Amino acid sequence: MVFHLVFRLTSIPALLVWLLVAPLQAQGLLRDADLEYGLKQLAAPILGAAGLSPSRVKVLVVNDNSLNAFVVSNDAIFVNYGLINRMQSAPMLQAVLAHEAAHIVNGHITRRMTNMASARTAAGFGLALAAVAAAAGAGDAAGGIALGTQSSARARFFKHTRAEEASADQSGIRFMKSSGVDPQGMADVLDLFRGQEVLAETRQDPYLRSHPLSRDRFRAVEGFVAAYGRQGAENPDAAYWFERVKGKLSAYTRSPKWTLRRLNDSPYTDVRLLREAIAEHRQSRTKQALSAIDKAIAQRPNDPFLHDQRGQILLETRNFQAAVAAYGRAAQLAPNDALILSGYGGALLATGDVKRARQFLEKARTIDFRDGSMLRDLSVAYAKSGQTGMASLVTAERYALSGRMEDAGIHAKRAVGLLSAGTGPWQRAQDVLSASERAEKQRR
């Protein structure tokens, strides 16, 4: 599991929104191939019912223990891991996704991005950063990205009106019903926050500060659920992926002892074993961790994400050749998963197989260029291959993505001098250099 920030650049308004959201994500994202696949399985029926593409709208987990979920563009839904850990069923988590999808479909985000796209606002939020994509990794990245932004502006952007919340609730429940998900999940989520609306704002969960609650909203949701009707038995696939997502997240975000005491909470043997492997690995008990993950693989031998987990355990314990074999099997089973390819490339690089490492890291970059750990490894692979211009370029992009614009500019300038003028890589370096120069002007 890798911690870093992600940016899905689709337009200038989307960039401007990200300049608002970056300070709220200074802790980064929890990125993991298994986790994101599971969330995709839970989101797919909801997004389909909403008329959105499940392959285009990603669900990403914010490394924040507080309860919140939000959208800042039309192609990503962000959910704090703290909120996922509090969910008690798949329909509850799907209700969160349905509500946020409704904000996209109902045009709430588009209107805000359009309003922010005026020339005056663009200048104020550091439009130059459009050249780079956003943040990856550093804990202090937010300050470098949110040039010119102020907390009051962020608060205004995130705070939905009661009318928007009402329409998102109703639309979300409709999406749930259409996709066969029990709408009661929406009411169950709101029950988590009952009573908080009377607390001082500083004591409320962040969700309430951006999603206003009231007795009227509770009553309206209960009415919508009654009108649309309850759903039957929970979808078994959704139940499984919910347990796997929550189980893996809790294993990484709670203490290993807590996880080991609660292994039997999951009804799925492979999920229990996966959680056990993570908990043992976090306690540096490699033999026990490998034993558990191997048992999980025996249960699901063609599951690429279990092989990916095995590769991570081996790589982090410096068993490089064995890690290559594990990641290789994962990549064979999921040849277009950027995070798995990135891990495979990193393992190959650790064994000294620079040529093959670069091959897989470059492929990962073409699929998802926002992976900070992949960019770090790719820059090393280029340097070891004697491609110093490309190494400087990728390093510049990595620094830019972490908000370190001064360092990005230094490496971008070096790349511009080393790469052939007019080529694609040279233009990328020019873009980062331009962004760095404009960021410097913003600081003055």
Side-chain angles (χ1 to χ4, degrees):
M1 181 170 287
V2 182
F3 292 51
H4 60 84
L5 287 173
V6 166
F7 183 78
R8 298 183 59 74
L9 181 60
T10 55
S11 63
I12 296 304
L15 164 77
L16 300 179
V17 171
W18 252 97
L19 298 179
L20 285 176
V21 73
L24 303 180
Q25 299 182 69
Q27 296 302 310
L29 298 181
L30 302 182
R31 293 214 63 190
D32 175 82
D34 189 3
L35 189 63
E36 292 184 11
Y37 181 83
L39 288 168
K40 182 178 180 180
Q41 302 314 298
L42 291 165
I46 299 291
L47 295 174
L52 298 170
S53 169
S55 63
R56 184 171 182 271
V57 180
K58 289 183 70 70
V59 182
L60 299 168
V61 181
V62 183
N63 183 24
D64 191 320
N65 193 37
S66 64
L67 309 188
N68 203 10
F70 52 90
V71 287
V72 293
S73 69
N74 292 335
D75 60 355
I77 296 172
F78 296 86
V79 186
N80 287 10
Y81 82 76
L83 184 59
I84 296 176
N85 279 345
R86 286 290 300 277
M87 298 292 96
Q88 298 165 6
S89 67
M92 288 181 72
L93 180 51
Q94 289 172 303
V96 172
L97 303 178
H99 181 94
E100 299 306 324
H103 280 309
I104 296 173
V105 173
N106 293 351
H108 303 156
I109 302 305
T110 300
R111 283 197 296 273
R112 294 175 191 207
M113 289 193 294
T114 300
N115 291 339
M116 290 178 65
S118 66
R120 182 175 180 181
T121 303
F125 287 99
L127 183 58
L129 291 181
V132 295
D140 59 353
I145 296 211
L147 299 171
T149 64
Q150 297 184 9
S151 60
S152 59
R154 293 195 300 271
R156 287 195 301 272
F157 180 84
F158 280 108
K159 192 172 182 65
H160 292 286
T161 66
R162 290 190 176 186
E164 287 176 343
E165 287 301 272
S167 70
D169 286 339
Q170 185 171 15
S171 296
I173 290 172
R174 187 175 72 250
F175 301 154
M176 294 174 74
K177 181 66 175 179
S178 297
S179 56
V181 178
D182 189 354
Q184 180 63 32
M186 185 78 75
D188 292 341
V189 170
L190 293 188
D191 276 341
L192 290 176
F193 302 100
R194 277 195 186 274
Q196 285 207 16
E197 68 272 17
V198 300
L199 298 177
E201 186 168 309
T202 54
R203 297 179 59 196
Q204 295 175 343
D205 283 306
Y207 184 87
L208 271 77
R209 296 198 289 272
S210 57
H211 299 71
L213 293 177
S214 67
R215 290 185 179 86
D216 288 341
R217 184 179 171 195
F218 283 119
R219 283 194 292 266
V221 166
E222 289 169 350
F224 293 148
V225 171
Y228 283 101
R230 296 290 304 273
Q231 199 66 32
E234 186 174 341
N235 181 290
D237 288 338
Y240 171 79
W241 285 109
F242 171 75
E243 287 290 337
R244 184 152 164 177
V245 165
K246 184 177 177 180
K248 188 166 195 179
L249 261 181
S250 65
Y252 268 112
T253 58
R254 295 185 182 272
S255 73
K257 290 182 179 179
W258 184 95
T259 299
L260 291 172
R261 285 196 303 268
R262 292 167 174 80
L263 290 178
N264 290 329
D265 288 356
S266 175
Y268 305 99
T269 303
D270 61 304
V271 174
R272 293 198 297 269
L273 291 165
L274 174 60
R275 297 180 71 216
E276 181 182 356
I278 293 168
E280 296 289 10
H281 175 53
R282 291 181 65 202
Q283 296 184 110
S284 300
R285 297 206 287 248
T286 304
K287 182 178 179 180
Q288 292 89 333
L290 289 174
S291 175
I293 198 64
D294 286 345
K295 290 176 183 176
I297 290 172
Q299 294 264 324
R300 295 170 65 94
N302 294 321
D303 188 321
F305 309 110
L306 296 178
H307 292 280
D308 175 71
Q309 184 66 57
R310 190 177 200 278
Q312 180 181 340
I313 292 169
L314 291 164
L315 183 63
E316 292 177 355
T317 53
R318 304 185 65 80
N319 293 296
F320 299 137
Q321 290 292 348
V324 166
Y327 275 122
R329 178 57 177 155
Q332 183 182 44
L333 293 167
N336 294 311
D337 189 294
L339 295 176
I340 285 178
L341 294 174
S342 175
Y344 190 22
L348 287 165
L349 189 63
T351 66
D353 192 343
V354 177
K355 183 177 180 180
R356 292 183 67 219
R358 193 178 74 240
Q359 172 189 342
F360 285 100
L361 290 166
E362 287 177 336
K363 183 176 180 180
R365 188 192 178 282
T366 63
I367 299 169
D368 184 354
F369 65 88
R370 311 160 187 90
D371 180 351
S373 60
M374 173 273 296
L375 291 175
R376 178 198 62 220
D377 289 341
L378 184 56
S379 66
V380 173
Y382 280 133
K384 288 181 177 292
S385 301
Q387 300 183 52
T388 53
M390 289 300 297
S392 293
L393 166 61
V394 175
T395 301
E397 291 176 330
R398 181 167 62 87
Y399 279 131
L401 293 170
S402 67
R404 296 171 58 178
M405 298 307 298
E406 184 176 355
D407 291 330
I410 292 170
H411 288 275
K413 187 174 183 179
R414 183 179 302 158
V416 167
L418 291 169
L419 297 167
S420 299
T423 61
W426 179 87
Q427 186 58 59
R428 282 161 50 195
Q430 286 281 17
D431 290 341
V432 176
L433 182 59
S434 175
S436 174
E437 291 170 348
R438 296 195 188 186
E440 177 59 31
K441 291 179 182 179
Q442 286 281 60
R443 284 194 293 268
R444 292 173 183 171

